[in-house]
Amino acid sequence: MTEEEHQRRPETPSDRIRKAFEVEFERFSDSPGSLPEGEKELRELQELRIKFLGKKSELAAQKKMIGSVDPKRRRDFALIFQNLEQDITRRIDEKELRLRTFVLRVRTERESIDVTMPGRRPRPGHLHPITLMRERIEDIFVSLGYAVEDDREIETDFYNFDALNIPEGHPARDPQDTFYTTDGFALRSQTSTVQIHAMQRRGAPIRMIAPGRVFRRDTPDPTHNPMFFQVEGLCVDRGITMAHLKGTLAELVHRLFGPETRTRFRPSYFPFTEPSAEVDYSCFNCGGKGCRICKGSGWIELGGSGMVHPNVLRAANVNPEEFTGFAFGLGIDRTCARIYQLDDIRLLFENDVRFLEQFR
Ligand SMILES: [Zn+2]
């Protein structure tokens, strides 16, 4: 068919369908400008497929007419519409594949992690000031060859009082001062109880510290709390003297507050030591001149100490004729409050994050 003949040939239904399809198909692009555009084109392509290939399409209507076509022309007629259907199907399929690939690629890119974006910073936790203080003290004693012991917080009268040479009728046994359970157990009022457990378990010689919680029936105020933390220290061996006690505590305050820190021992009385002494150290802030932290005295109280009473050694099955030892106890939270200049020791137990965050 020449061009002239073609132009003269009347438009067939097949030509009409093809032309209509070309007009509508033209607006579909190979690379849409955005994900929403791509998704919109995909939806419209499905509508186009139904319009030109669906049951109600003109193509379907033409194919139904094949029975009424002259049998001689029937084969050509069928072939024309078969080719047309294949053409339209192939072109829609190709376009759909391109659009789907585009949409999938853009979606994947959007959902993948942008490594250049600043991350959300996790809020790191940190140790409680009492724990920091306890660990500093533990490190010092471990380096001096001491073991760190832990033990129960609920005790029998034997461990809390009898074994520590605290006689019946002593004020410390008064229910006004000590918490008792309904069946007669006591919440330990000092970490000295661990001395007895440790000596019973391991015998002498022994060097140990026992940091832990203790309980006393105090009304909470800026310098008291019914639950607080102590570190107990015990050194028992042949030939241990008061000089070893002084040297050990001097070493402790040197490492905690600096080598220029001095110690002072004041005679005192505790049932479980003889002789007994209160220990002070020269103020880390003013060096002994007097300031607000040391209340003008130049000295800060560290705790109690002394030579282990022979009755305590006996209670733990250690022979006082062969062994002697020293013991000491100091308040972790009290020392902590001094160092950080806290006006109220209760701040350490309230777990207010605004307060604790300062120790990061
Ligand atoms: Zn001072």
Side-chain angles (χ1 to χ4, degrees):
M1 206 186 293
T2 65
E3 188 65 22
E4 200 180 338
E5 280 167 333
H6 186 91
Q7 275 172 1
R8 261 189 285 115
R9 189 174 66 90
E11 191 180 64
T12 64
S14 151
D15 293 337
R16 201 170 60 243
I17 293 169
R18 190 181 290 276
K19 207 187 260 174
F21 173 74
E22 293 297 349
V23 168
E24 292 207 35
F25 190 69
E26 207 177 28
R27 65 191 163 92
F28 289 93
S29 59
D30 276 346
S31 51
S34 68
L35 181 60
E37 272 177 46
E39 286 167 336
K40 181 165 168 275
E41 284 196 33
L42 255 181
R43 282 194 304 275
E44 289 173 356
L45 193 66
Q46 295 313 313
E47 289 163 16
L48 191 77
R49 187 191 290 276
I50 292 163
K51 183 173 178 183
F52 284 93
L53 300 171
K55 281 179 198 159
K56 290 174 181 171
S57 63
E58 198 186 342
L59 184 65
Q62 289 293 332
K63 278 161 74 184
K64 277 180 199 150
M65 284 164 65
I66 196 164
S68 60
V69 172
D70 173 2
K72 283 183 214 157
R73 289 185 53 234
R74 201 172 281 169
R75 197 176 156 272
D76 288 345
F77 183 90
L79 210 60
I80 284 168
F81 286 103
Q82 197 180 321
N83 285 339
L84 180 62
E85 189 173 25
Q86 278 174 359
D87 259 13
I88 293 175
T89 304
R90 180 181 52 78
R91 294 185 61 193
I92 291 178
D93 284 350
E94 280 173 10
K95 185 67 77 181
E96 187 182 345
L97 183 68
R98 283 209 186 90
L99 286 172
R100 280 201 189 285
T101 307
F102 168 82
V103 166
L104 193 70
R105 181 173 56 78
V106 178
R107 274 191 196 149
T108 309
E109 278 170 7
R110 179 184 284 190
E111 283 159 16
S112 62
I113 297 160
D114 180 357
V115 291
T116 64
M117 249 169 64
R120 261 192 292 173
R121 216 172 279 277
R123 287 179 63 187
H126 60 92
L127 295 174
H128 191 282
I130 290 179
T131 309
L132 292 170
M133 191 71 219
R134 194 198 73 211
E135 289 189 344
R136 275 180 74 190
I137 295 170
E138 282 180 7
D139 285 349
I140 292 168
F141 279 103
V142 166
S143 77
L144 295 174
Y146 282 67
V148 178
E149 291 276 346
D150 192 13
D151 223 293
R152 63 214 78 180
E153 292 175 355
I154 300 175
E155 282 292 1
T156 60
D157 269 0
F158 173 76
Y159 287 99
N160 206 42
F161 301 117
D162 298 337
L164 293 171
N165 202 34
I166 300 172
E168 294 276 353
H170 189 280
R173 289 189 176 228
D174 195 312
Q176 296 270 327
D177 290 326
T178 301
F179 290 107
Y180 286 96
T181 67
T182 47
D183 40 8
F185 291 99
L187 296 191
R188 68 179 180 193
S189 43
Q190 64 271 314
T191 42
S192 308
T193 54
V194 186
Q195 289 184 24
I196 311 300
H197 287 293
M199 281 193 283
Q200 284 181 337
R201 241 190 338 257
R202 298 165 45 181
I206 186 170
R207 265 184 286 182
M208 54 137 261
I209 59 163
R213 245 186 296 260
V214 299
F215 308 85
R216 288 184 199 170
R217 290 192 66 166
D218 276 325
T219 308
D221 67 25
T223 53
H224 294 86
N225 202 59
M227 186 276 296
F228 55 101
F229 289 83
Q230 280 191 335
V231 181
E232 186 76 14
L234 175 72
C235 172
V236 175
D237 206 336
R238 294 174 186 87
I240 295 292
T241 69
M242 197 85 181
H244 296 110
L245 167 64
K246 287 181 156 185
T248 303
L249 292 182
E251 182 66 18
L252 171 68
V253 296
H254 288 171
R255 296 212 200 170
L256 277 181
F257 306 112
E260 67 290 342
T261 313
R262 288 162 289 126
T263 52
R264 178 174 84 172
F265 288 74
R266 287 178 288 119
S268 187
Y269 169 78
F270 304 109
F272 30 86
T273 45
E274 181 60 36
S276 303
E278 303 263 10
V279 193
D280 302 330
Y281 59 96
S282 57
C283 177
F284 55 83
N285 188 51
C286 63
K289 289 191 216 60
C291 70
R292 198 180 79 91
I293 291 174
C294 57
K295 297 190 181 92
S297 74
W299 295 96
I300 296 173
E301 195 182 313
L302 181 69
S305 68
M307 299 305 290
V308 181
H309 197 289
N311 287 351
V312 174
L313 294 176
R314 267 183 219 109
N317 305 319
V318 172
N319 181 4
E321 303 299 323
E322 187 182 359
F323 291 99
T324 52
F326 65 79
F328 58 88
L330 53 102
I332 299 179
D333 19 41
R334 204 159 274 200
T335 305
C336 201
R338 289 279 194 185
I339 288 177
Y340 296 118
Q341 302 179 36
L342 309 178
D343 292 328
D344 194 330
I345 203 164
R346 290 172 295 186
L347 285 166
L348 290 167
F349 305 110
E350 285 168 350
N351 282 336
D352 186 330
V353 176
R354 290 167 301 179
F355 167 74
L356 293 176
E357 270 177 349
Q358 301 170 53
F359 299 92
R360 197 181 282 273

